[in-house]
Short mmCIF file of all heavy atoms in Angstrom, two decimals:
data_model
loop_
_atom_site.label_atom_id
_atom_site.label_comp_id
_atom_site.label_asym_id
_atom_site.label_seq_id
_atom_site.Cartn_x
_atom_site.Cartn_y
_atom_site.Cartn_z
N LEU A 116 63.91 38.20 -46.02
CA LEU A 116 63.59 38.87 -47.27
C LEU A 116 62.47 39.87 -47.02
O LEU A 116 61.39 39.51 -46.56
CB LEU A 116 63.18 37.84 -48.33
CG LEU A 116 63.09 38.34 -49.77
CD1 LEU A 116 64.43 38.90 -50.24
CD2 LEU A 116 62.65 37.21 -50.70
N TYR A 117 62.77 41.14 -47.30
CA TYR A 117 61.85 42.25 -47.00
C TYR A 117 61.23 42.78 -48.29
O TYR A 117 61.94 43.11 -49.23
CB TYR A 117 62.60 43.37 -46.28
CG TYR A 117 61.70 44.51 -45.84
CD1 TYR A 117 61.28 44.61 -44.53
CD2 TYR A 117 61.26 45.47 -46.76
CE1 TYR A 117 60.44 45.64 -44.12
CE2 TYR A 117 60.42 46.49 -46.37
CZ TYR A 117 60.02 46.57 -45.05
OH TYR A 117 59.18 47.58 -44.67
N TYR A 118 59.89 42.90 -48.28
CA TYR A 118 59.17 43.40 -49.45
C TYR A 118 58.70 44.83 -49.20
O TYR A 118 57.88 45.07 -48.31
CB TYR A 118 57.97 42.51 -49.75
CG TYR A 118 57.20 42.86 -51.01
CD1 TYR A 118 57.49 42.23 -52.21
CD2 TYR A 118 56.19 43.82 -50.99
CE1 TYR A 118 56.78 42.54 -53.36
CE2 TYR A 118 55.50 44.14 -52.14
CZ TYR A 118 55.80 43.49 -53.33
OH TYR A 118 55.11 43.80 -54.47
N ASP A 119 59.21 45.77 -49.96
CA ASP A 119 58.75 47.15 -49.93
C ASP A 119 57.46 47.21 -50.76
O ASP A 119 57.48 46.99 -51.96
CB ASP A 119 59.83 48.06 -50.52
CG ASP A 119 59.43 49.53 -50.53
OD1 ASP A 119 58.23 49.82 -50.67
OD2 ASP A 119 60.32 50.38 -50.40
N GLY A 120 56.33 47.50 -50.10
CA GLY A 120 55.04 47.40 -50.76
C GLY A 120 54.63 48.59 -51.59
O GLY A 120 53.45 48.72 -51.95
N ALA A 121 55.57 49.48 -51.92
CA ALA A 121 55.20 50.68 -52.67
C ALA A 121 54.56 50.35 -54.02
O ALA A 121 53.71 51.11 -54.50
CB ALA A 121 56.43 51.57 -52.88
N ASN A 122 54.96 49.24 -54.63
CA ASN A 122 54.42 48.87 -55.94
C ASN A 122 53.49 47.67 -55.86
O ASN A 122 53.32 46.93 -56.83
CB ASN A 122 55.58 48.56 -56.91
CG ASN A 122 56.45 49.78 -57.16
OD1 ASN A 122 56.03 50.91 -56.94
ND2 ASN A 122 57.66 49.56 -57.61
N PHE A 123 52.87 47.49 -54.70
CA PHE A 123 51.99 46.33 -54.50
C PHE A 123 50.79 46.36 -55.44
O PHE A 123 50.21 45.32 -55.76
CB PHE A 123 51.53 46.31 -53.04
CG PHE A 123 50.82 45.05 -52.64
CD1 PHE A 123 51.43 43.81 -52.76
CD2 PHE A 123 49.54 45.09 -52.12
CE1 PHE A 123 50.79 42.65 -52.38
CE2 PHE A 123 48.88 43.94 -51.73
CZ PHE A 123 49.50 42.71 -51.86
N ASN A 124 50.40 47.57 -55.90
CA ASN A 124 49.29 47.68 -56.86
C ASN A 124 49.45 46.71 -58.02
O ASN A 124 48.49 46.11 -58.50
CB ASN A 124 49.21 49.09 -57.46
CG ASN A 124 48.90 50.17 -56.45
OD1 ASN A 124 49.35 50.09 -55.31
ND2 ASN A 124 48.16 51.18 -56.84
N ALA A 125 50.69 46.57 -58.49
CA ALA A 125 50.94 45.84 -59.73
C ALA A 125 50.70 44.34 -59.61
O ALA A 125 50.45 43.67 -60.62
CB ALA A 125 52.38 46.09 -60.19
N ILE A 126 50.77 43.78 -58.39
CA ILE A 126 50.62 42.33 -58.24
C ILE A 126 49.39 41.96 -57.43
O ILE A 126 49.11 40.76 -57.26
CB ILE A 126 51.87 41.70 -57.58
CG1 ILE A 126 52.03 42.18 -56.13
CG2 ILE A 126 53.12 42.01 -58.40
CD1 ILE A 126 53.06 41.40 -55.36
N LEU A 127 48.67 42.94 -56.93
CA LEU A 127 47.54 42.67 -56.04
C LEU A 127 46.53 41.73 -56.69
O LEU A 127 46.01 41.99 -57.77
CB LEU A 127 46.85 44.00 -55.68
CG LEU A 127 45.65 43.92 -54.76
CD1 LEU A 127 46.03 43.32 -53.41
CD2 LEU A 127 45.04 45.30 -54.56
N GLY A 128 46.26 40.62 -56.03
CA GLY A 128 45.31 39.65 -56.55
C GLY A 128 45.87 38.71 -57.58
O GLY A 128 45.18 37.78 -58.02
N LYS A 129 47.13 38.92 -57.99
CA LYS A 129 47.76 38.07 -59.01
C LYS A 129 48.77 37.10 -58.39
O LYS A 129 48.81 35.92 -58.74
CB LYS A 129 48.47 38.94 -60.06
CG LYS A 129 47.55 39.92 -60.77
CD LYS A 129 46.50 39.21 -61.61
CE LYS A 129 45.66 40.22 -62.39
NZ LYS A 129 44.60 39.55 -63.19
N VAL A 130 49.59 37.63 -57.50
CA VAL A 130 50.62 36.81 -56.85
C VAL A 130 50.86 37.42 -55.48
O VAL A 130 50.61 38.60 -55.26
CB VAL A 130 51.91 36.79 -57.69
CG1 VAL A 130 52.52 38.16 -57.80
CG2 VAL A 130 52.92 35.79 -57.13
N ARG A 131 51.34 36.59 -54.52
CA ARG A 131 51.49 37.06 -53.15
C ARG A 131 52.97 37.04 -52.73
O ARG A 131 53.69 36.08 -53.03
CB ARG A 131 50.68 36.18 -52.20
CG ARG A 131 49.23 36.04 -52.61
CD ARG A 131 48.40 35.32 -51.56
NE ARG A 131 48.93 34.02 -51.19
CZ ARG A 131 48.40 33.24 -50.24
NH1 ARG A 131 47.32 33.66 -49.58
NH2 ARG A 131 48.92 32.07 -49.96
N PRO A 132 53.42 38.09 -52.04
CA PRO A 132 54.81 38.12 -51.60
C PRO A 132 55.20 36.91 -50.76
O PRO A 132 56.31 36.40 -50.88
CB PRO A 132 54.89 39.42 -50.78
CG PRO A 132 53.81 40.29 -51.34
CD PRO A 132 52.71 39.35 -51.73
N GLY A 133 54.30 36.45 -49.90
CA GLY A 133 54.61 35.29 -49.08
C GLY A 133 54.91 34.07 -49.91
O GLY A 133 55.77 33.24 -49.55
N ASP A 134 54.22 33.93 -51.04
CA ASP A 134 54.47 32.79 -51.92
C ASP A 134 55.79 32.92 -52.67
O ASP A 134 56.32 31.93 -53.17
CB ASP A 134 53.31 32.65 -52.93
CG ASP A 134 51.99 32.37 -52.24
OD1 ASP A 134 52.01 31.84 -51.11
OD2 ASP A 134 50.93 32.72 -52.82
N MET A 135 56.29 34.16 -52.77
CA MET A 135 57.60 34.38 -53.40
C MET A 135 58.74 34.10 -52.45
O MET A 135 59.90 34.03 -52.87
CB MET A 135 57.73 35.83 -53.89
CG MET A 135 56.72 36.29 -54.90
SD MET A 135 57.08 38.02 -55.31
CE MET A 135 55.47 38.58 -55.87
N GLY A 136 58.44 33.99 -51.14
CA GLY A 136 59.48 33.74 -50.16
C GLY A 136 59.77 34.90 -49.23
O GLY A 136 60.71 34.84 -48.43
N PHE A 137 58.96 35.98 -49.31
CA PHE A 137 59.20 37.14 -48.45
C PHE A 137 58.77 36.84 -47.02
O PHE A 137 57.77 36.16 -46.78
CB PHE A 137 58.46 38.36 -48.99
CG PHE A 137 59.11 38.99 -50.19
CD1 PHE A 137 58.75 38.60 -51.47
CD2 PHE A 137 60.09 39.95 -50.02
CE1 PHE A 137 59.35 39.17 -52.58
CE2 PHE A 137 60.71 40.53 -51.13
CZ PHE A 137 60.35 40.14 -52.41
N ASP A 138 59.52 37.41 -46.08
CA ASP A 138 59.24 37.23 -44.65
C ASP A 138 58.52 38.43 -44.05
O ASP A 138 57.80 38.28 -43.06
CB ASP A 138 60.55 37.01 -43.88
CG ASP A 138 61.35 35.85 -44.42
OD1 ASP A 138 60.91 34.70 -44.23
OD2 ASP A 138 62.40 36.09 -45.04
N VAL A 139 58.75 39.60 -44.61
CA VAL A 139 58.20 40.84 -44.07
C VAL A 139 57.71 41.70 -45.24
O VAL A 139 58.41 41.83 -46.25
CB VAL A 139 59.26 41.63 -43.27
CG1 VAL A 139 58.66 42.91 -42.70
CG2 VAL A 139 59.84 40.78 -42.16
N VAL A 140 56.52 42.27 -45.09
CA VAL A 140 55.94 43.13 -46.13
C VAL A 140 55.35 44.36 -45.46
O VAL A 140 54.58 44.23 -44.51
CB VAL A 140 54.83 42.39 -46.91
CG1 VAL A 140 54.14 43.35 -47.88
CG2 VAL A 140 55.38 41.19 -47.65
N HIS A 141 55.69 45.55 -45.96
CA HIS A 141 54.92 46.71 -45.54
C HIS A 141 54.05 47.13 -46.72
O HIS A 141 54.45 47.03 -47.88
CB HIS A 141 55.80 47.86 -45.04
CG HIS A 141 56.20 48.84 -46.10
ND1 HIS A 141 57.47 48.88 -46.66
CD2 HIS A 141 55.51 49.84 -46.71
CE1 HIS A 141 57.53 49.84 -47.57
NE2 HIS A 141 56.35 50.43 -47.63
N LEU A 142 52.85 47.57 -46.41
CA LEU A 142 51.89 47.98 -47.43
C LEU A 142 51.54 49.45 -47.25
O LEU A 142 51.36 49.92 -46.12
CB LEU A 142 50.61 47.15 -47.33
CG LEU A 142 50.78 45.64 -47.54
CD1 LEU A 142 49.46 44.93 -47.24
CD2 LEU A 142 51.25 45.34 -48.95
N ASN A 143 51.46 50.17 -48.35
CA ASN A 143 51.06 51.57 -48.30
C ASN A 143 49.56 51.65 -48.55
O ASN A 143 49.10 51.78 -49.69
CB ASN A 143 51.81 52.37 -49.37
CG ASN A 143 53.31 52.31 -49.19
OD1 ASN A 143 53.94 51.30 -49.50
ND2 ASN A 143 53.89 53.38 -48.69
N LEU A 144 48.77 51.57 -47.47
CA LEU A 144 47.32 51.61 -47.65
C LEU A 144 46.89 52.91 -48.29
O LEU A 144 45.87 52.97 -48.99
CB LEU A 144 46.61 51.43 -46.31
CG LEU A 144 46.82 50.10 -45.56
CD1 LEU A 144 45.83 49.97 -44.43
CD2 LEU A 144 46.71 48.91 -46.51
N HIS A 145 47.63 53.98 -48.04
CA HIS A 145 47.27 55.27 -48.62
C HIS A 145 47.57 55.32 -50.11
O HIS A 145 47.17 56.27 -50.77
CB HIS A 145 48.00 56.40 -47.90
CG HIS A 145 49.50 56.21 -47.87
ND1 HIS A 145 50.10 55.34 -47.00
CD2 HIS A 145 50.49 56.78 -48.56
CE1 HIS A 145 51.42 55.38 -47.19
NE2 HIS A 145 51.67 56.24 -48.13
N LYS A 146 48.24 54.32 -50.63
CA LYS A 146 48.44 54.23 -52.08
C LYS A 146 47.51 53.17 -52.69
O LYS A 146 46.74 53.43 -53.59
CB LYS A 146 49.90 53.85 -52.40
CG LYS A 146 50.92 54.91 -52.06
CD LYS A 146 52.30 54.45 -52.51
CE LYS A 146 53.36 55.48 -52.19
NZ LYS A 146 54.69 55.08 -52.67
N THR A 147 47.64 51.96 -52.18
CA THR A 147 46.97 50.82 -52.80
C THR A 147 45.51 50.69 -52.41
O THR A 147 44.71 50.15 -53.17
CB THR A 147 47.71 49.52 -52.42
OG1 THR A 147 49.09 49.66 -52.75
CG2 THR A 147 47.14 48.33 -53.15
N PHE A 148 45.13 51.17 -51.23
CA PHE A 148 43.81 50.85 -50.71
C PHE A 148 42.93 52.08 -50.48
O PHE A 148 42.46 52.33 -49.38
CB PHE A 148 43.94 50.03 -49.42
CG PHE A 148 44.57 48.69 -49.64
CD1 PHE A 148 45.93 48.51 -49.49
CD2 PHE A 148 43.81 47.60 -50.03
CE1 PHE A 148 46.52 47.27 -49.70
CE2 PHE A 148 44.38 46.35 -50.24
CZ PHE A 148 45.73 46.19 -50.08
N ALA A 149 42.74 52.88 -51.52
CA ALA A 149 41.65 53.86 -51.57
C ALA A 149 41.73 55.02 -50.61
O ALA A 149 40.80 55.29 -49.88
CB ALA A 149 40.30 53.15 -51.37
N THR A 150 42.83 55.73 -50.63
CA THR A 150 42.87 57.04 -49.98
C THR A 150 43.59 58.01 -50.91
O THR A 150 44.76 57.80 -51.21
CB THR A 150 43.64 56.99 -48.65
OG1 THR A 150 42.93 56.13 -47.76
CG2 THR A 150 43.71 58.36 -48.03
N PRO A 151 42.90 59.04 -51.39
CA PRO A 151 43.62 60.05 -52.18
C PRO A 151 44.77 60.60 -51.35
O PRO A 151 44.57 61.06 -50.23
CB PRO A 151 42.55 61.12 -52.43
CG PRO A 151 41.26 60.40 -52.27
CD PRO A 151 41.50 59.37 -51.23
N HIS A 152 45.97 60.52 -51.87
CA HIS A 152 47.15 60.83 -51.07
C HIS A 152 48.00 61.87 -51.77
O HIS A 152 48.32 61.75 -52.93
CB HIS A 152 47.97 59.55 -50.85
CG HIS A 152 49.25 59.79 -50.10
ND1 HIS A 152 49.28 60.35 -48.85
CD2 HIS A 152 50.54 59.56 -50.42
CE1 HIS A 152 50.53 60.44 -48.43
NE2 HIS A 152 51.31 59.96 -49.38
N GLY A 153 48.36 62.88 -51.06
CA GLY A 153 49.22 63.90 -51.62
C GLY A 153 49.56 64.92 -50.56
O GLY A 153 48.89 65.04 -49.55
N GLY A 154 50.64 65.64 -50.76
CA GLY A 154 51.01 66.67 -49.81
C GLY A 154 51.52 66.13 -48.49
O GLY A 154 51.54 66.83 -47.50
N GLY A 155 51.91 64.86 -48.44
CA GLY A 155 52.52 64.34 -47.24
C GLY A 155 51.60 63.60 -46.29
O GLY A 155 52.00 63.27 -45.18
N GLY A 156 50.38 63.29 -46.67
CA GLY A 156 49.56 62.52 -45.74
C GLY A 156 48.09 62.71 -46.00
O GLY A 156 47.71 63.45 -46.90
N PRO A 157 47.26 62.03 -45.24
CA PRO A 157 47.62 61.05 -44.22
C PRO A 157 48.05 59.73 -44.83
O PRO A 157 47.70 59.44 -45.97
CB PRO A 157 46.33 60.89 -43.42
CG PRO A 157 45.25 61.12 -44.43
CD PRO A 157 45.79 62.19 -45.34
N GLY A 158 48.77 58.94 -44.09
CA GLY A 158 49.26 57.68 -44.61
C GLY A 158 48.99 56.54 -43.66
O GLY A 158 48.49 56.72 -42.55
N ALA A 159 49.30 55.34 -44.12
CA ALA A 159 49.21 54.14 -43.29
C ALA A 159 50.14 53.09 -43.90
O ALA A 159 50.04 52.82 -45.09
CB ALA A 159 47.79 53.61 -43.22
N GLY A 160 51.04 52.55 -43.08
CA GLY A 160 52.01 51.58 -43.59
C GLY A 160 52.05 50.32 -42.78
O GLY A 160 53.09 49.98 -42.19
N PRO A 161 50.92 49.58 -42.70
CA PRO A 161 50.91 48.36 -41.87
C PRO A 161 51.97 47.36 -42.33
O PRO A 161 52.34 47.32 -43.50
CB PRO A 161 49.50 47.80 -42.07
CG PRO A 161 49.02 48.40 -43.35
CD PRO A 161 49.64 49.75 -43.41
N LEU A 162 52.40 46.56 -41.37
CA LEU A 162 53.44 45.58 -41.62
C LEU A 162 52.85 44.20 -41.44
O LEU A 162 52.18 43.92 -40.45
CB LEU A 162 54.60 45.79 -40.64
CG LEU A 162 55.88 45.05 -41.00
CD1 LEU A 162 56.63 45.83 -42.07
CD2 LEU A 162 56.76 44.88 -39.77
N VAL A 163 53.11 43.31 -42.41
CA VAL A 163 52.62 41.93 -42.37
C VAL A 163 53.84 41.02 -42.33
O VAL A 163 54.80 41.23 -43.07
CB VAL A 163 51.74 41.61 -43.59
CG1 VAL A 163 50.92 40.35 -43.34
CG2 VAL A 163 50.81 42.78 -43.92
#
């Protein structure tokens, strides 16, 4: 079960993908974790 982390903002700190049964999660640090993002970068998509 793969979790696309594009909308991780909505559940951050409330519920965890691993607890839902997900095996793989990618996170968009450039969205959720404090980087103004636009125009194609820079980005970061770590995989958990």
Side-chain angles (χ1 to χ4, degrees):
L116 192 58
Y117 184 101
Y118 185 94
D119 180 328
N122 297 340
F123 190 58
N124 296 36
I126 66 168
L127 180 61
K129 302 295 184 182
V130 64
R131 307 188 306 177
D134 298 335
M135 300 180 204
F137 284 91
D138 304 290
V139 181
V140 174
H141 91 255
L142 299 173
N143 300 75
L144 298 192
H145 55 283
K146 292 184 180 183
T147 306
F148 295 93
T150 297
H152 177 58
L162 194 80
V163 197

